[in-house]
């Protein structure tokens, strides 16, 4: 049985992340989606909100579990007895960063492999920050993220726009 983790900040989860998680869940027996609670960048959503939205977005996939984590990714993998780290590759520019991350993680733990999945073409240019930018400016986002995320973004930015 092969267990994998898919670690990210999910601020918030997009259909690009859902695409990668769905593909990985089709390949591995179990996928633990790790919501990183302490990213370098400031997050729009709290860890509880990111966890909730990620759980709601992936609830329809039976072999996926969503868990928070705040330690090193390889430690999170070890804690769940996972041997694979799943990541996504959108465009060529992702490659350099993902290569650096995977080599660093391999230095920290040689038993864990990083495996990258490519999303459907329609999500190639989608990122959480692009989604937030469009939402902030009241642009159309229903094709980019699950309904609960769309709703949560509307609430956040209505508040923001009303107090600007
Ligand atoms: P973090 O910056 O915390 O790692 P991200 O959400 O930016 O979190 O990215 C997490 C992983 O998901 C990365 O491997 C990234 O390439 C991948 N990813 C994000 N958006 C997409 C997308 N639209 N298609 C494919 N992979 C994606």
């Amino acid at each position: 049985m092969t267990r994998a983790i898919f670690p990210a900040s999910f601020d918030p989860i997009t259909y690009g992340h859902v695409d990668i998680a769905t593909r990985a869940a089709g390949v591995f027996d179990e996928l633990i989606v790790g919501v990183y609670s302490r990213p370098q960048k400031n997050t729009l959503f709290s860890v509880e909100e990111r966890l909730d939205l990620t759980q709601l977005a992936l609830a329809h996939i039976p072999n996926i579990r969503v868990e928070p984590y705040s330690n090193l990714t390889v430690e999170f993998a070890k804690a769940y007895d996972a041997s694979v780290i799943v990541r996504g590759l959108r465009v060529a520019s992702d490659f350099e960063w993902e290569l650096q991350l995977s080599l660093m993680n391999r230095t920290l733990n040689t038993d864990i492999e990083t495996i990258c999945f490519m999303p459907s073409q329609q999500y190639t240019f989608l990122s959480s920050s692009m989604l937030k930018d469009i939402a902030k400016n009241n642009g159309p986002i229903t094709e980019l993220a699950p309904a609960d995320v769309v709703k949560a973004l509307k609430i956040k930015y209505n508040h923001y726009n009303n107090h600007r």
Side-chain angles (χ1 to χ4, degrees), residues 24 30 41 47-48 59 73 76 87 107 113 115 133 148 150:
E30 202 179 344
K41 47 199 176 194
V47 64
E48 292 79 15
T73 301
F76 175 64
R87 297 286 288 177
T107 307
E113 289 294 346
I115 298 186
D133 269 355
D148 295 297
V150 171

Side-chain angles (χ1 to χ4, degrees), residues 6-10 14 16-17 20 39 41 87-90 94 97-98 117 119 123-128:
F6 177 25
S9 23
F10 298 106
T14 70
H17 295 120
I20 297 300
K41 47 199 176 194
R87 297 286 288 177
L89 278 184
R90 287 162 287 195
D94 275 348
W97 171 239
E98 294 299 339
F117 286 80
Y123 303 131
T124 312
F125 293 100
L126 175 58
S127 63
S128 298

Side-chain angles (χ1 to χ4, degrees), residues 22-82:
T22 308
R23 287 173 199 285
V27 170
F28 302 111
D29 297 300
E30 202 179 344
L31 183 71
I32 316 284
V33 172
V35 178
Y36 186 52
S37 64
R38 312 190 294 184
Q40 297 277 6
K41 47 199 176 194
N42 285 330
T43 57
L44 177 67
F45 292 98
S46 69
V47 64
E48 292 79 15
E49 290 172 320
R50 289 183 281 126
L51 206 52
D52 264 9
L53 291 171
T54 306
Q55 243 146 11
L56 287 168
L58 299 172
H60 61 286
I61 307 175
N63 62 334
I64 290 186
R65 257 165 76 189
V66 181
E67 301 286 348
Y69 81 103
S70 55
N71 51 351
L72 284 174
T73 301
V74 290
E75 295 301 324
F76 175 64
K78 226 166 77 186
Y80 284 90
D81 211 16

